[in-house]
Amino acid sequence: MAENSKTPGIQSGEKTLTVLEYLVLKHEPSRLLDIAKDLKMTNTTATRYLNTLMNKGYVQQNSATLKYSATFKIVALANHVSNHRDLKQIARPYLERLTKEFGESTNIAVEENMSSVYIDVIRDTNSSLMAIQYVGNAAPMHCTGNGKLLLLNYSDEELEQFILKKGLPQFTENTYVTKESLKQELERIRKRGYAYDEEERELGIRCLAFPVFDAQGRIIAGMSVTGPKGRMTDEMLNKRLEVFREITLEVSRKLGYRAFD
């Protein structure tokens, strides 16, 4: 798209990011006059973008000097991306082990915006399963193995807010669609230490998921094996539960988890 054909919304977004980049790269707080001059904006225009960034928490203004500076929110976001990249790198060889052990597709997912987001997926070459899982895809939390594990982090109040915001849409006859049934399922998962997806998202598809913990003992991800229910039988899964548990504990230990040491 040519520069002069950009919509006002796109131009505004680009200029807001330009202001943020300017403040991030500055080594000291800046005056409005300097920001506007250096970025070739009017004071009014620069103020508008600065106010947007302050409203979102990316910029702060010193009440005494009236100078602007970037906050550490941008650092937190960068760390968040870095953490996911590190987690993916750590987990990849363990996902490969799981795929070889089960002969099915495996994945690891984290929570973002009240959804379960896949950060890595390995499909077994012998599997005919056409999974809906792919890197970057966001899945509902109330009807997936990884998602239900991540919901264990929620307090009762947070679970209420989750349901209010996301709802509990029904995908199959097995989907948990009431707060009471979902809470009962989460309690079962908490007690046994792992989760199933019993054709809750897609008929004919079954999933087994174990949690990954960080150094504080919080569940930061779920690792799961997914396949057709004809192959993912109770007998097959039960034989491999302890192998799966140990693999995810190894990943957790790599992240600083020490509860079982």
Side-chain angles (χ1 to χ4, degrees):
M1 181 181 290
E3 179 68 27
N4 59 8
S5 66
K6 291 180 180 178
T7 65
I10 293 175
Q11 290 179 338
S12 178
E14 288 181 349
K15 289 179 180 178
T16 302
L17 290 174
T18 298
V19 174
L20 178 59
E21 290 173 351
Y22 174 89
L23 292 174
V24 168
L25 295 174
K26 291 288 286 187
H27 297 295
E28 57 186 12
S30 301
R31 300 183 307 161
L32 172 62
L33 289 175
D34 293 329
I35 296 170
K37 178 181 177 182
D38 290 346
L39 297 180
K40 296 180 173 55
M41 299 177 180
T42 66
N43 290 350
T44 300
T45 299
T47 298
R48 184 168 71 252
Y49 298 136
L50 287 164
N51 285 339
T52 297
L53 290 166
M54 286 195 294
N55 289 338
K56 298 298 292 184
Y58 290 102
V59 168
Q60 61 188 357
Q61 184 182 34
N62 187 300
S63 58
T65 66
L66 300 182
K67 291 183 178 181
Y68 297 88
S69 60
T71 69
F72 283 100
K73 184 175 182 180
I74 191 71
V75 177
L77 286 177
N79 286 339
H80 189 60
V81 172
S82 177
N83 288 341
H84 285 181
R85 187 180 299 114
D86 291 344
L87 176 59
K88 178 177 178 178
Q89 291 173 347
I90 290 170
R92 167 54 76 137
Y94 296 98
L95 283 179
E96 292 172 348
R97 281 172 55 185
L98 280 175
T99 300
K100 185 175 295 185
E101 178 70 32
F102 284 84
E104 301 291 350
S105 298
T106 61
N107 66 75
I108 183 168
V110 298
E111 181 190 353
E112 285 191 358
N113 299 321
M114 293 186 175
S115 293
S116 175
V117 177
Y118 301 106
I119 61 172
D120 201 6
V121 177
I122 297 180
R123 305 190 193 285
D124 181 68
T125 55
N126 297 317
S127 174
S128 60
L129 175 66
M130 296 298 291
I132 59 173
Q133 302 162 347
Y134 57 88
V135 175
N137 186 35
M141 294 174 70
H142 70 292
C143 60
T144 56
N146 288 335
K148 288 185 289 185
L149 288 173
L150 293 164
L151 282 177
L152 296 182
N153 290 324
Y154 281 45
S155 66
D156 287 344
E157 293 77 14
E158 289 169 336
L159 188 61
E160 291 275 1
Q161 290 302 311
F162 166 78
I163 294 172
L164 283 174
K165 182 175 181 179
K166 292 289 189 176
L168 298 174
Q170 184 167 10
F171 294 92
T172 74
E173 60 187 13
N174 298 326
T175 308
Y176 294 98
V177 294
T178 67
K179 178 179 69 176
E180 292 73 19
S181 63
L182 178 60
K183 289 181 70 173
Q184 289 172 4
E185 168 67 353
L186 294 179
E187 187 58 30
R188 287 190 290 269
I189 294 169
R190 197 185 308 277
K191 288 179 178 178
R192 67 175 175 244
Y194 52 91
Y196 291 106
D197 167 1
E198 300 284 13
E199 301 180 79
E200 298 159 41
R201 176 79 190 280
E202 186 176 353
L203 288 176
I205 302 301
R206 199 178 189 201
C207 158
L208 172 64
F210 273 83
V212 174
F213 300 93
D214 64 10
Q216 288 72 46
R218 182 179 175 84
I219 298 173
I220 60 166
M223 292 177 67
S224 69
V225 176
T226 305
K229 68 175 183 177
R231 293 201 301 262
M232 296 277 286
T233 63
D234 287 341
E235 181 182 9
M236 187 271 272
L237 296 178
N238 289 336
K239 286 181 179 178
R240 295 167 172 80
L241 281 178
E242 292 310 311
V243 173
F244 199 161
R245 190 193 309 275
E246 184 55 37
I247 285 174
T248 51
L249 280 176
E250 286 185 37
V251 176
S252 299
R253 290 183 185 116
K254 295 269 188 179
L255 298 169
Y257 184 58
R258 294 290 178 266
F260 287 82
D261 288 357

